[in-house]
Amino acid sequence: MALKQNRGDVYQEVTDRVIEALERGVPPWRSPLIATAAGDPRNGVSKKPYRGVNIFLLLMTAMSRGYTSPYWLTFKQARSLDGSVRKGEKGTPIIFWKSFEKVNPDIGEPEKIVVARGYRVFNEMQCDLPNARYEPPPTPKPAQTEDVPAADDILNGWPDFWGMLGEGPQPAYRPSADHILMPVPSNFVSKLEWYCTVFHETVHATGHSKRLDRDGITKPQPFGSAGYAREELIAELGAAFLCARAGIISQTFDNSAAYLGNWIKRLRDDPKLIVQAAGKAQQAVDLILGEQLDAISE
């Protein structure tokens, strides 16, 4: 069940949903929803988790409509399970990337083409399905203590991390020296905020030329430029993914008019920004966690 075949329309519909959340004063990548929703959004047939911007899209819907199931299906998938989507239910748009080879007429050789495609999916609670089809969903347990072993495991599990970390007056990543500078945890409101901040800087570090080689890190990006904003959004989204993995709910998040207004303007200027930044953030998280999962198409 295709959402829209026009690539630009797919980007625009997703961007419009994120802008709506920002206009309500809820930045999706900073909202507690990502760590408090019922389990990671996952496909109801494969049981694999969705990735990238799809995580935010599905969690926003789940929170606004009160869905407690983490499982989502296309219309066809619901029918394949001997069930159906209830009449009148509205689907949630998601994006996946489809690749194929096409001969480049200029060089006469095949080249890989990657195209964004959109689908609508429905939460299990929007469907009539045999109950036996699903095992109980995982129940996330947000961290209640200052020290978060799961967050420490993430940092300790990336071989590059401790060799980069050093003490500094302000949080920063310096590409020239490949160093992450962080104030001591006692300078933060809480240890949880220290984790959130160090995750942000660690995502920046994945962009170094010897890692993922992102332009936002390897090429000078003037403050306030589109390139600077893109790299900051990658780090914001990546930190949110890592906090969710560790079960951390940020104690504070910026919902000031200036902060929200800046992101609304950026997204309106570039409808591709949120989708592409989320994809880059997912790559960064994969590198840090040492994982590589297949993207979910349906």
Side-chain angles (χ1 to χ4, degrees):
M1 184 176 181
L3 172 62
K4 291 182 179 179
Q5 295 304 311
N6 183 280
R7 186 173 181 179
D9 289 345
V10 173
Y11 286 121
Q12 190 64 60
E13 182 159 359
V14 169
T15 297
D16 287 346
R17 286 210 66 211
V18 175
I19 289 176
E20 287 176 9
L22 290 170
E23 289 177 335
R24 293 195 301 270
V26 184
W29 51 87
R30 294 229 179 171
S31 171
L33 68 84
I34 191 173
T36 58
D40 296 331
R42 58 193 63 218
N43 184 265
V45 172
S46 69
K47 306 299 193 298
K48 292 182 179 180
Y50 289 94
R51 289 157 54 78
V53 74
N54 293 331
I55 296 173
F56 298 111
L57 295 174
L58 296 175
L59 286 179
M60 283 191 292
T61 296
M63 293 295 289
S64 65
R65 300 182 188 174
Y67 300 149
T68 56
S69 171
Y71 296 119
W72 300 79
L73 308 100
T74 64
F75 184 85
K76 289 182 178 179
Q77 286 179 327
R79 295 188 65 179
S80 75
L81 296 178
D82 299 326
S84 63
V85 176
R86 296 191 193 98
K87 186 176 181 179
E89 293 287 351
K90 295 182 178 180
T92 299
I94 62 169
I95 280 186
F96 78 100
W97 301 95
K98 184 175 182 180
S99 62
F100 60 91
E101 285 193 351
K102 183 178 180 180
V103 175
N104 186 325
D106 295 331
I107 60 176
E109 296 181 1
E111 61 180 3
K112 186 176 181 180
I113 305 295
V114 180
V115 180
R117 286 288 183 262
Y119 277 76
R120 290 191 185 276
V121 293
F122 301 85
N123 189 267
E124 177 188 7
M125 296 179 69
Q126 297 176 274
C127 306
D128 291 317
L129 299 166
N131 291 332
R133 295 289 187 181
Y134 297 98
E135 65 264 16
T139 301
K141 295 182 179 179
Q144 299 298 316
T145 60
E146 285 290 287
D147 290 317
V148 183
D152 292 328
D153 289 344
I154 289 172
L155 298 173
N156 291 335
W158 192 31
D160 289 1
F161 175 72
W162 289 108
M164 290 187 289
L165 185 64
E167 187 176 333
Q170 296 292 330
Y173 170 65
R174 293 182 176 175
S176 58
D178 194 25
H179 284 168
I180 296 171
L181 301 179
M182 286 290 297
V184 295
S186 60
N187 285 2
F188 288 79
V189 173
S190 71
K191 183 66 176 294
L192 300 184
E193 293 306 314
W194 183 89
Y195 284 122
C196 294
T197 304
V198 79
F199 282 155
H200 180 105
E201 301 304 335
T202 302
V203 172
H204 278 317
T206 64
H208 193 278
S209 58
K210 65 184 179 183
R211 299 185 187 99
L212 297 178
D213 197 22
R214 284 196 308 273
D215 286 352
I217 294 297
T218 60
K219 298 178 181 178
Q221 304 292 328
F223 179 82
S225 67
Y228 180 92
R230 183 183 300 272
E231 177 60 30
E232 281 303 304
L233 186 54
I234 291 169
E236 291 261 295
L237 298 174
F241 292 149
L242 292 172
C243 284
R245 176 64 70 95
I248 291 174
I249 299 176
S250 178
Q251 302 299 295
T252 61
F253 64 93
D254 191 346
N255 64 348
S256 66
Y259 174 87
L260 298 174
N262 178 62
W263 283 117
I264 289 171
K265 181 182 184 303
R266 291 291 180 186
L267 293 170
R268 283 177 174 160
D269 290 343
D270 183 2
K272 297 181 181 180
L273 177 59
I274 186 67
V275 174
Q276 294 180 342
K280 296 292 186 183
Q282 187 69 69
Q283 290 178 350
V285 170
D286 287 345
L287 178 65
I288 293 167
L289 297 178
E291 298 178 352
Q292 184 58 58
L293 304 176
D294 293 330
I296 301 298
S297 61
E298 289 190 1

Coordinates of all heavy atoms in Angstrom, one line a residue, residues 42 82 109 137 225 233 247:
R42 N 8.0 -1.9 16.2 CA 8.5 -3.0 15.4 C 7.5 -3.6 14.4 O 6.3 -3.4 14.7 CB 9.1 -4.1 16.3 CG 8.1 -4.7 17.3 CD 8.8 -5.6 18.3 NE 9.7 -4.8 19.1 CZ 10.9 -5.2 19.5 NH1 11.3 -6.4 19.3 NH2 11.6 -4.4 20.3
D82 N -4.6 -13.3 8.7 CA -6.1 -13.6 8.8 C -6.8 -12.6 9.6 O -7.8 -12.9 10.4 CB -6.2 -15.0 9.5 CG -5.6 -16.1 8.7 OD1 -5.6 -16.0 7.4 OD2 -5.1 -17.1 9.3
E109 N 27.5 1.9 -17.8 CA 27.6 0.9 -16.8 C 26.5 1.0 -15.8 O 26.0 2.1 -15.6 CB 29.0 1.0 -16.1 CG 30.2 0.8 -17.0 CD 31.5 0.9 -16.3 OE1 31.5 1.2 -15.0 OE2 32.6 0.8 -16.9
P137 N 4.8 -7.9 24.3 CA 5.8 -6.9 23.9 C 6.8 -6.7 25.1 O 6.5 -6.9 26.3 CB 5.0 -5.7 23.6 CG 3.8 -5.8 24.5 CD 3.5 -7.3 24.5
S225 N 25.0 27.8 9.6 CA 24.8 27.4 8.2 C 23.9 26.2 8.2 O 23.7 25.5 9.2 CB 26.1 27.1 7.6 OG 26.7 26.0 8.2
L233 N 21.6 18.3 14.1 CA 20.4 17.4 14.1 C 20.8 16.0 14.1 O 20.1 15.2 14.8 CB 19.5 17.7 12.9 CG 18.1 17.0 12.9 CD1 17.3 17.3 14.2 CD2 17.3 17.5 11.7
G247 N 17.7 3.4 28.3 CA 16.5 3.6 29.2 C 16.6 4.9 29.9 O 16.0 5.1 31.0

